[in-house]
Amino acid sequence: MRRALVLATLCLMLGAAPPPETYVKAVDAWHAERTARLAAEDGWLTLVGLDWLKPGENTLGSAPGSAVLLPEGTAPAQAGTFVLEGGQVRVRLAAGSGILVNGQVVAAASLKADVDGKPDLLRAGRITFYVIRRGDRFGIRMKDPEAPARKAFHGVARFPVDPAWRIEADFLPYATPQTRAIPTVLGTSEPMTAPGLLRFKVKGRTFTLEPVIEDPALPELFIIFRDATSGKATYPAGRFLTAAMPKDGKVVLDFNRAYNPPCAFSHFATCPLPPKRNELHLAVRAGEKDYGDH
């Protein structure tokens, strides 16, 4: 399977479509790796909490009513305090709390959020938690490898792999990259850079999608889209797709690798939503189907 993936990747780099059998094996390998990431000890299926911080002090512990509530038995009733001030989150931990910050016993620490790179990781027993930032909001995301969602995970259904859904699109660059306000499930928006449009044909009909670049340090095209299967066979809010940056004005859109956003698996995820311009009047019967068990 690994050999098939390497061969298919090489074909893509050379701009050629891999042989059908090799291609199917490569997509199967990709899907198997994605499933393994979902089911990992720190994957999306382990999310068990998301508490938003208010300015000032926010209590941390297992006592009912704590602003950041840890499961009973993982920490003392009053384990410490998160302090949100000046766009920075600090934690003050009670003596004997048992909570570690990046594996170390500390009394207090300034915490790096997820948008600033790898976040600082706190641990209380089996529970891990860290700071996330969404716009001007700061929250504490919590993970548990014993989460019921992870224990009940049975894989993600998908459409049969169909090479016809590996489509070459024309890349139409904007004279100047555009900043788009991408909506999220939180009712907020996140600024992302749109470098241009992707134009492609399916059964003689022309469609367009606008990709964005999430992380300039790791440039790739990120496409958030809905289609005529959304809310029927696939996740209602839409799906994601990534593609390599344009080469000679072309981009390969492999809809067999369309995948569900984290929100399809957990209520504690914060996902971007498809902009109106990425709502396709087309049934994309490829990629992952809905996962309705969360």
Side-chain angles (χ1 to χ4, degrees), residues 34 44 235 237-240 259-266 269 271-272 288:
R34 166 162 163 76
W44 289 113
Y235 185 57
R239 290 181 288 170
F240 294 168
Y259 62 97
N260 289 321
C263 289
F265 305 98
S266 173
C271 299
E288 290 186 351

Side-chain angles (χ1 to χ4, degrees), residues 124-203:
R126 71 177 189 272
I127 304 297
T128 57
F129 49 110
Y130 54 93
V131 179
I132 69 168
R133 180 174 183 172
R134 298 295 180 267
D136 295 330
R137 302 177 72 187
F138 289 83
I140 303 299
R141 172 171 281 166
M142 199 173 301
K143 293 185 175 184
D144 180 358
E146 298 298 316
R150 183 176 182 235
K151 288 185 174 182
F153 183 58
H154 54 265
V156 184
R158 56 188 175 132
F159 293 96
V161 178
D162 182 355
W165 282 108
R166 180 187 180 274
I167 298 169
E168 187 176 73
D170 294 317
F171 176 66
L172 309 176
Y174 295 136
T176 303
Q178 302 292 303
T179 298
R180 301 300 192 203
I182 302 299
T184 75
V185 295
L186 301 176
T188 61
S189 63
E190 293 286 335
M192 294 186 190
T193 300
L197 275 180
L198 298 172
R199 184 177 61 197
F200 59 98
K201 287 187 176 182
V202 177
K203 296 181 179 179

Side-chain angles (χ1 to χ4, degrees), residues 53-60 68 79-93 101 106-113 120 122 129-131 138-140:
L53 303 178
K54 61 179 179 58
E57 296 191 349
N58 300 261
T59 55
L60 165 68
V68 178
T81 305
F82 286 105
V83 181
L84 172 57
E85 191 173 56
Q88 174 65 52
V89 177
R90 290 181 53 81
V91 65
R92 298 196 301 258
L93 296 172
V101 179
V106 300
S110 294
L111 301 175
K112 184 166 64 175
D120 292 305
L122 294 87
F129 49 110
Y130 54 93
V131 179
F138 289 83
I140 303 299

